[in-house]
Amino acid sequence: MRGLISTAHINPSYKPMPTMTTTVIHKLVVIGVGLIGGSFALALREAGRVQHITGIGRSRENMRRALALGEIDEIADNIESALKDAELVFLAVPVGQTGEIMAQISAYLAPSTIVTDAGSTKQEVVAAARSHLAPHLKNFVPGHPVAGAERSGAGAANADLFRGKNVVLTPLEETSREATQKVTELWEACGARISRMSANRHDEILAAVSHLPHVLAFALMNHVVSAGADGSNDAHDNDLLRFAGSGFRDSTRIAGSSPEMWRDICLGNRKALLNQIDAYQKELTVMREMLSDGDGDALERLFARARNAREHWLKSLPG
Amino acid sequence: MRGLISTAHINPSYKPMPTMTTTVIHKLVVIGVGLIGGSFALALREAGRVQHITGIGRSRENMRRALALGEIDEIADNIESALKDAELVFLAVPVGQTGEIMAQISAYLAPSTIVTDAGSTKQEVVAAARSHLAPHLKNFVPGHPVAGAERSGAGAANADLFRGKNVVLTPLEETSREATQKVTELWEACGARISRMSANRHDEILAAVSHLPHVLAFALMNHVVSAGADGSNDAHDNDLLRFAGSGFRDSTRIAGSSPEMWRDICLGNRKALLNQIDAYQKELTVMREMLSDGDGDALERLFARARNAREHWLKSLPG
């Protein structure tokens, strides 16, 4: 399960280009210097792959922290000057804001400037690029580092965030092989395992292993709150939660995620997520029927299948 | 959220009896010296609440380990001699075996011997007691220490397992106040927070906060395996699992639980669990409809409600 092997697994036709030179970015512009943007900057700097990093962000305080932490070399005064001579632009903003940002930067992008992003859903980002970056698609490389974390903001960034993590790139037909190769090299320099696939396939996969589990966790938390003896929203007065243990805590951990971010992700990947919810409901209904029939053997087989698959999966993880 | 306060919350009529003397058990018999049985023995010994501990179990090897680890003082040769002069019998076997064990011990129980258990479902245990311990119900105190753990067996036992954990007692109408009080004192000596409620209420609560989450996790794991590109049961060949991260890992942690044990728990609490599954599916369907309607505001409100309730709950946990 190393990067290119797993890539081959996804897309047998893909062969990495032999890398003659080491890519060093002279000017990197990070738009949104939070956990992801800041960590990308720190990792590239540590790998000696970048000379100058300009940061753009909404929160002045967060940008000052990013500067103090060495994640960026300067805070941009305005987009035009920030993008001047930029070799790579990294969009690390909530996926819901991607289109708006693209609209703001498109006029100032030099033809040679490569643009990549870190959005959690890709078909939506590709659609936004088609509407706002049309002349620039050959240098647009959609990407998604699959590296969540509870914490956010420049203060949470660290150079090792992407080490051993999956980064999925979903190049468009228009995207040049060179642009994709350069972004691939930079993510590899961050220690990530790179895969390439269609935006559609990415969204299907993430709907199953990330978006669905989040919805299930939000629903479980709300269900238990509603089922609480006094129907109170206050966990202090909830008989059920008083008896919830570590299993429940882990099952609902991702229900602590940002409601705003997950609203955008769910809406951004609505079709694939609806399919996943429907398929999951079917799976759950099968178990429900076995239970209703008192078919202990069938239940035990399904439980054992789940446990075995999980053990296989855990063994297959790197490190 | 201290034991008796929370008990009062569950059963306002309950008042603890003033304890004049400290209960010391002269002979404790532990049937099933695994994680729960062994930890109960170690905790009572550490608290100076027991003089002699006899162990009964199927696996000779496990019993020798329990003896070597000081969890028991002797391995019983047979049930009759083991139960002779026993002051307390602690049943810590899988809930599916409880009835059978009760049938085996009933003939050898002295009228004064108190029997308690650690079964994860209580209505089933009460029913088993009514069929097999009929003459002995005044000294039978059904109990459930809500303290799961990945590991099992005598080797996993430790004296602090129950510290700060909930222990639910579900006395029968026939159960004497003295027997319930004695078992309460002993669990308090283990550092547990004691609650009393009906077996029915216990099963409803655990169905919501423990049994349902396990079923959901088993179903999620199986769903993702089935949805894997090649439909393979082998996680190594599963495109989806290759992109699963820490959120998925935590969401499915309890899918690593014992299939046999969870088959028994689900069957033992079938009615309440079916109700929970149905209510959960309704909750999930509400979210599905909001997503299908593209109602981002409603989704965000539900997500925020879940996150806030979880934060309240985490704050309310002891220590």
Side-chain angles (χ1 to χ4, degrees):
Chain A
M1 294 247 332
R2 289 292 159 269
L4 296 177
I5 296 164
S6 56
T7 303
H9 181 83
I10 293 266
N11 171 3
S13 70
Y14 166 70
K15 300 263 178 308
M17 288 175 66
T19 309
M20 299 311 171
T21 60
T22 296
T23 301
V24 175
I25 300 296
H26 301 99
K27 183 180 181 181
L28 167 67
V29 177
V30 177
I31 304 182
V33 191
L35 174 72
I36 300 297
S39 297
F40 185 70
L42 286 173
L44 287 184
R45 200 189 284 285
E46 193 174 280
R49 296 305 198 98
V50 62
Q51 285 171 347
H52 184 87
I53 305 175
T54 301
I56 303 180
R58 284 181 303 187
S59 155
R60 202 73 197 164
E61 187 197 348
N62 181 69
M63 296 306 291
R64 285 203 206 85
R65 194 176 308 117
L67 193 63
L69 292 169
E71 296 168 18
I72 56 176
D73 299 302
E74 64 168 343
I75 301 173
D77 302 324
N78 63 75
I79 291 178
E80 179 168 14
S81 62
L83 294 181
K84 189 165 185 313
D85 306 323
E87 207 173 327
L88 179 72
V89 175
F90 184 57
L91 301 179
V93 298
V95 72
Q97 298 166 31
T98 308
E100 173 196 333
I101 304 276
M102 286 175 170
Q104 290 174 32
I105 65 172
S106 54
Y108 310 112
L109 288 172
S112 65
T113 306
I114 294 174
V115 179
T116 188
D117 81 308
S120 309
T121 64
K122 301 274 43 112
Q123 291 173 100
E124 188 188 27
V125 167
V126 167
R130 291 199 179 283
S131 4
H132 302 295
L133 297 181
H136 207 79
L137 294 180
K138 83 175 209 328
N139 274 340
F140 178 58
V141 185
H144 175 210
V146 186
E150 255 78 304
R151 298 164 56 233
S152 61
N158 73 83
D160 295 325
L161 183 66
F162 306 114
R163 202 157 292 289
K165 297 295 197 333
N166 284 293
V167 170
V168 180
L169 300 181
T170 65
L172 289 63
E173 287 160 24
E174 297 88 338
T175 308
S176 77
R177 188 165 190 75
E178 293 66 25
T180 304
Q181 183 59 27
K182 185 174 273 191
V183 172
T184 300
E185 273 179 54
L186 293 172
W187 276 118
E188 284 171 351
C190 298
R193 307 183 300 146
I194 318 306
S195 301
R196 300 183 196 182
M197 63 184 76
S198 70
N200 175 53
R201 180 62 181 150
H202 167 276
D203 289 357
E204 283 174 1
I205 292 176
L206 272 291
V209 298
S210 172
H211 309 166
L212 173 67
H214 277 77
V215 167
L216 298 182
F218 284 126
L220 175 57
M221 196 67 222
N222 282 336
H223 161 67
V224 169
V225 169
S226 306
D230 55 9
S232 163
N233 199 337
D234 178 353
H236 296 282
D237 299 341
N238 187 304
D239 277 357
L240 273 57
L241 285 174
R242 288 188 39 253
F243 294 94
S246 61
F248 183 83
R249 191 188 60 231
D250 288 353
S251 296
T252 56
R253 182 177 66 78
I254 53 182
S257 307
S258 157
E260 181 190 11
M261 177 181 163
W262 280 93
R263 174 204 64 200
D264 291 346
I265 291 174
C266 291
L267 292 177
N269 197 19
R270 175 161 61 174
K271 189 163 159 297
L273 181 51
L274 285 171
N275 291 338
Q276 288 296 322
I277 293 172
D278 294 343
Y280 178 81
Q281 291 262 36
K282 284 200 187 72
E283 182 79 40
L284 184 55
T285 300
V286 168
M287 280 194 184
R288 189 218 180 277
E289 293 315 309
M290 290 173 178
L291 179 60
S292 159
D293 298 344
D295 189 345
D297 294 345
L299 277 178
E300 186 178 356
R301 274 195 301 275
L302 278 194
F303 294 171
R305 178 177 181 237
R307 184 174 71 167
N308 296 338
R310 189 167 188 278
E311 282 169 2
H312 279 302
W313 169 59
L314 290 177
K315 287 201 200 84
S316 75
L317 296 177
Chain B
M1 293 248 330
R2 289 292 158 269
L4 296 176
I5 295 163
S6 56
T7 302
H9 183 82
I10 294 265
N11 171 2
S13 70
Y14 166 71
K15 300 261 178 309
M17 286 175 67
T19 309
M20 300 311 171
T21 61
T22 296
T23 301
V24 175
I25 300 296
H26 302 99
K27 183 179 181 182
L28 166 68
V29 177
V30 177
I31 303 182
V33 192
L35 173 72
I36 301 296
S39 296
F40 185 70
L42 286 173
L44 288 184
R45 200 190 285 285
E46 193 173 280
R49 295 305 198 98
V50 63
Q51 286 170 350
H52 183 86
I53 306 175
T54 301
I56 302 180
R58 283 181 304 187
S59 155
R60 202 73 194 163
E61 187 198 348
N62 181 70
M63 295 306 290
R64 284 204 206 84
R65 194 175 307 115
L67 192 64
L69 292 168
E71 296 168 17
I72 56 176
D73 300 302
E74 66 167 343
I75 301 174
D77 302 324
N78 63 75
I79 292 177
E80 179 168 13
S81 62
L83 295 182
K84 189 165 185 312
D85 306 323
E87 209 173 325
L88 180 71
V89 174
F90 184 57
L91 301 179
V93 299
V95 72
Q97 297 166 31
T98 308
E100 172 197 333
I101 304 274
M102 286 175 171
Q104 289 174 32
I105 66 173
S106 55
Y108 309 113
L109 288 172
S112 66
T113 306
I114 293 174
V115 179
T116 188
D117 81 308
S120 310
T121 64
K122 301 272 47 106
Q123 290 173 102
E124 186 188 27
V125 167
V126 167
R130 291 198 180 283
S131 356
H132 302 296
L133 297 181
H136 206 80
L137 294 181
K138 85 176 205 332
N139 274 340
F140 178 58
V141 185
H144 176 208
V146 186
E150 257 79 303
R151 298 162 59 232
S152 62
N158 73 83
D160 295 325
L161 183 66
F162 306 113
R163 200 158 294 288
K165 296 295 196 333
N166 284 293
V167 170
V168 180
L169 301 181
T170 65
L172 288 64
E173 289 161 23
E174 297 88 338
T175 307
S176 76
R177 190 165 190 76
E178 292 68 26
T180 303
Q181 184 59 26
K182 185 174 273 190
V183 172
T184 299
E185 274 180 53
L186 293 171
W187 276 119
E188 283 171 350
C190 298
R193 306 183 301 145
I194 318 307
S195 301
R196 299 183 197 183
M197 63 184 75
S198 69
N200 175 54
R201 180 62 182 151
H202 167 277
D203 288 358
E204 283 175 0
I205 292 176
L206 272 292
V209 299
S210 172
H211 308 165
L212 174 67
H214 277 78
V215 167
L216 298 182
F218 284 126
L220 175 57
M221 196 67 221
N222 282 335
H223 161 67
V224 168
V225 169
S226 307
D230 54 10
S232 163
N233 198 337
D234 177 354
H236 295 282
D237 299 342
N238 187 303
D239 276 358
L240 273 55
L241 285 173
R242 288 188 40 253
F243 294 94
S246 61
F248 183 83
R249 190 189 60 230
D250 288 353
S251 297
T252 56
R253 182 178 67 79
I254 53 181
S257 307
S258 157
E260 181 191 11
M261 177 182 164
W262 280 92
R263 173 204 63 199
D264 291 346
I265 291 174
C266 291
L267 292 177
N269 197 20
R270 174 161 62 173
K271 188 163 159 297
L273 181 50
L274 286 171
N275 292 338
Q276 289 297 321
I277 293 172
D278 294 343
Y280 178 80
Q281 289 204 316
K282 283 202 188 73
E283 182 80 39
L284 184 55
T285 300
V286 168
M287 280 194 183
R288 189 217 182 277
E289 293 316 308
M290 290 173 178
L291 179 60
S292 160
D293 299 344
D295 188 344
D297 293 345
L299 276 178
E300 186 177 357
R301 272 195 302 274
L302 278 194
F303 295 172
R305 177 177 182 234
R307 184 174 71 166
N308 295 339
R310 189 166 188 278
E311 282 170 1
H312 279 300
W313 170 59
L314 291 177
K315 286 199 200 86
S316 74
L317 294 178

